[in-house]
Amino acid sequence: MAKTESNKTGSMVVKRGLAEMLKGGVIMDVVNADQAKIAEDSGACAVMALERVPADIRRDGGVARMSDPEMIEKIQAVVSIPVMAKARIGHFVEAQVLESLGVDFIDESEVLTPADESHHIDKFAFQPPFVCGATNLGEALRRISEGAALIRSKGEAGTGNIVEAVRHLRSIIGDIRKITQADSAELFEWAKRLQAPLPLVQEIAETGWLQVPLFCAGGIATPSDAALAMQLGAEAVFVGSGIFKSDDPAPRARSIVEATTHFRDAAIIAKVSRNLGAPMTGIGMDNIEQRFAERGW
Amino acid sequence: MVARSKKSKSELTIGVLALQGAFSSHEAVLNKIGVSSRQVRTPQDLDVVDALVMPGGESTTMSQLLESADLFEPINARIKNRMPVFGTCAGMILLAKTIIDGRDDQLSFNAIDIDVQRNAYGRQIDSFEAEIEIDAPGGSFHGVFIRAPRIVSLGSGVTPLAYCGDDVVLAQQDKVLVASFHPELANDIRLHELFLEGV
């Protein structure tokens, strides 16, 4: 065994390291071991275990919580790829439970009903890395300052509608571009406007990118949706309801994986988009009662 | 296919397999060294590169994408034709002779005579950083191990180049270099330079 006492686990390097390994891939929402197997068979780079897909949470209403540990362990038993799971915003005990299960990544997620209306989880206190959603750069930097190792644009989960994901990606990446053009005095104003720690804003001005990888989530239903997110600057995609709420999940999952890899190659995207059957029906933003993206502070 | 006369470093193009995983971090190291790199997603990309880096990521995902992109056979032919390759983590798994705890349908290039076990050090909570003993100028190397595979046996033609505890974590056989950790995340260009010496 190579592990010795001097080995360091749970560091930010190790946490961000796993996020790096997921780049260019598709992380798929699954609610049971059968779906997890289909996801792995289709080329998912990780699965997200949750109790109900966002479209069902939206339909059924009620309080959405962390998944049954039994279900998470069954999923861990059938796949060899990383297994993620969701905890409610601010619900650090759900996160502790997920940590004890050896979950590879914890998603502090607005798709579940928030447990705390002013505080997010102190993510530095945990061994597994955390991913958090963001609608804009300020929100992303606040989550990073709390210890998130990966940011995903929130989009609007469970709608099959990519419009909010595009809005959030454009907002985050657009502001990063503007900050790289700002002079040192303007960075103070940026930090104030974004309600984000100044050193993180200064670091973005220097490096031209976030401190952690940026993925896209919320509303991806087709191969073209995934490629759109990637061309806008996302480094990987989460697909929730889009796969297992479609007519024929396995081919759709495979095609989204291929489109995410070949995101600049329209001929390949066209090829993999043929004969996939109906995507999830989807809903317009004017027709939804609860915007998940508004959760989180 | 590119004619393989000896080129100077400035004329080289190093391919980075960009199907999935940490390919951009490898490109950043290559750019820092000053060699040009190219992301490889299609057989056409492969045709114009002189060597190939296979990054970390999910080996099962990459295996499937190698097939769907019609890249497996062309890469296999280039490796048999002595194209230098450097595999890190999942990339090492793809190059190994035998994969333990892989998927049944998982492909490998059988390019280096090692047996590797996937996720052998455990889940992400067991991922770790450690100093690696390496016989090179500059001394030890900072190793980042992410859900790392483990080299469980080496054939007689394989040279072990570095150890972490009792485990071989860097090994070479002819034109094939493999690491079970992530030199591209360590802010240290020495192992990429070592690879380029063989190109």
Side-chain angles (χ1 to χ4, degrees):
Chain A
M1 199 65 194
K3 293 175 71 175
T4 62
E5 281 163 23
S6 64
N7 293 351
K8 197 160 81 180
T9 61
S11 63
M12 276 316 289
V13 169
V14 161
K15 289 176 174 177
R16 286 177 198 175
L18 182 57
E20 291 289 329
M21 297 311 131
L22 299 171
K23 282 185 178 176
V26 181
I27 300 136
M28 301 182 191
D29 277 2
V30 298
V31 300
N32 57 46
D34 290 342
Q35 289 186 355
K37 199 73 196 131
I38 292 170
E40 186 185 66
D41 290 347
S42 308
C45 67
V47 291
M48 173 76 72
L50 72 176
E51 158 197 51
R52 290 173 284 168
V53 293
D56 289 339
I57 293 172
R58 205 173 271 294
R59 187 195 61 206
D60 300 345
V63 174
R65 310 178 179 90
M66 176 189 78
S67 305
D68 183 341
E70 175 87 6
M71 181 273 268
I72 294 171
E73 283 180 343
K74 280 182 180 160
I75 289 172
Q76 288 173 322
V78 299
V79 297
S80 61
I81 55 179
V83 176
M84 304 187 176
K86 289 183 192 287
R88 284 178 265 179
I89 291 174
H91 205 316
F92 51 86
V93 173
E94 284 188 347
Q96 289 163 3
V97 171
L98 295 175
E99 179 178 43
S100 79
L101 296 173
V103 160
D104 294 298
F105 233 110
I106 299 172
D107 185 358
E108 186 181 18
S109 178
E110 71 284 358
V111 170
L112 306 185
T113 310
D116 189 320
E117 292 190 332
S118 25
H119 307 90
H120 282 252
I121 296 171
D122 170 9
K123 292 164 273 284
F124 288 109
F126 290 81
Q127 192 82 351
F130 274 74
V131 51
C132 290
T135 58
N136 58 56
L137 183 58
E139 208 176 349
L141 292 178
R142 289 194 293 280
R143 297 297 85 79
I144 291 169
S145 72
E146 296 156 0
L150 172 61
I151 295 295
R152 53 173 175 75
S153 56
K154 283 181 179 171
E156 196 52 51
T159 61
N161 189 335
I162 194 70
V163 65
E164 294 300 303
V166 169
R167 185 196 318 282
H168 301 156
L169 276 177
R170 281 201 180 277
S171 172
I172 294 168
I173 295 169
D175 277 354
I176 290 174
R177 274 195 284 262
K178 286 178 205 153
I179 284 173
T180 61
Q181 301 297 311
D183 73 16
S184 58
E186 288 168 333
L187 295 178
F188 296 100
E189 158 67 8
W190 269 104
K192 194 170 72 179
R193 197 186 324 159
L194 294 172
Q195 299 179 353
L198 177 65
L200 295 185
V201 174
Q202 289 168 325
E203 204 179 330
I204 286 179
E206 262 174 51
T207 65
W209 195 240
L210 280 183
Q211 288 77 3
V212 304
L214 174 65
F215 294 1
C216 176
I220 292 171
T222 69
S224 297
D225 288 346
L228 175 66
M230 295 293 287
Q231 284 198 31
L232 283 170
E235 298 176 288
V237 298
F238 287 83
V239 184
S241 320
I243 289 171
F244 289 102
K245 282 288 159 187
S246 70
D247 272 4
D248 196 357
R252 181 163 297 269
R254 268 196 300 278
S255 67
I256 291 176
V257 168
E258 287 185 49
T260 302
T261 292
H262 302 282
F263 66 95
R264 290 191 194 281
D265 192 328
I268 292 181
I269 299 167
K271 189 182 94 183
V272 303
S273 299
R274 288 169 203 270
N275 299 316
L276 290 179
M280 69 178 286
T281 310
I283 35 181
M285 288 307 126
D286 297 337
N287 300 320
I288 61 176
E289 287 174 10
Q290 169 71 60
R291 288 202 177 219
F292 294 155
E294 290 170 357
R295 296 165 166 175
W297 7 94
Chain B
M1 204 171 288
V2 186
R4 294 272 309 132
S5 58
K6 191 71 182 172
K7 294 180 178 179
S8 75
K9 202 167 95 172
S10 62
E11 294 171 314
L12 290 173
T13 301
I14 308 301
V16 181
L17 189 64
L19 297 173
Q20 192 272 319
F23 48 86
S24 53
S25 302
H26 277 288
E27 278 191 294
V29 181
L30 293 168
N31 294 343
K32 201 167 166 185
I33 293 173
V35 294
S36 61
S37 62
R38 180 182 173 121
Q39 298 184 357
V40 172
R41 292 187 176 84
T42 64
Q44 294 72 38
D45 296 327
L46 182 69
D47 283 345
V48 297
V49 303
D50 300 289
L52 187 64
V53 177
M54 297 188 183
E58 274 309 311
S59 60
T60 56
T61 302
M62 287 189 226
S63 167
Q64 292 184 34
L65 287 161
L66 280 169
E67 270 192 298
S68 63
D70 294 323
L71 263 175
F72 185 81
E73 280 311 323
I75 290 177
N76 202 28
R78 288 290 302 275
I79 293 174
K80 299 282 177 291
N81 204 19
R82 295 177 52 76
M83 172 179 68
V85 283
F86 182 17
T88 61
C89 194
M92 175 177 89
I93 297 173
L94 291 176
L95 291 167
K97 183 187 75 178
T98 310
I99 303 169
I100 299 160
D101 294 342
R103 285 171 56 91
D104 294 342
D105 59 358
Q106 188 165 355
L107 300 171
S108 99
F109 291 105
N110 188 9
I112 181 165
D113 188 8
I114 56 173
D115 298 346
V116 300
Q117 187 179 5
R118 278 182 76 211
N119 303 332
Y121 297 98
R123 296 184 176 282
Q124 172 62 14
I125 49 173
D126 305 306
S127 292
F128 62 98
E129 298 176 73
E131 291 308 309
I132 293 168
E133 301 153 35
I134 185 167
D135 185 18
S140 68
F141 198 95
H142 189 67
V144 182
F145 294 80
I146 308 289
R147 286 170 48 95
R150 186 173 181 191
I151 301 175
V152 293
S153 71
L154 297 82
S156 56
V158 181
T159 311
L161 297 176
Y163 291 87
C164 183
D166 296 331
D167 290 344
V168 174
V169 294
L170 180 71
Q172 186 168 27
Q173 182 175 20
D174 197 17
K175 293 285 186 186
V176 182
L177 179 67
V178 295
S180 55
F181 57 99
H182 293 283
E184 77 281 12
L185 299 182
N187 206 15
D188 188 332
I189 62 175
R190 286 178 293 157
L191 293 189
H192 287 77
E193 286 182 326
L194 172 73
F195 172 60
L196 292 171
E197 277 170 24
V199 178

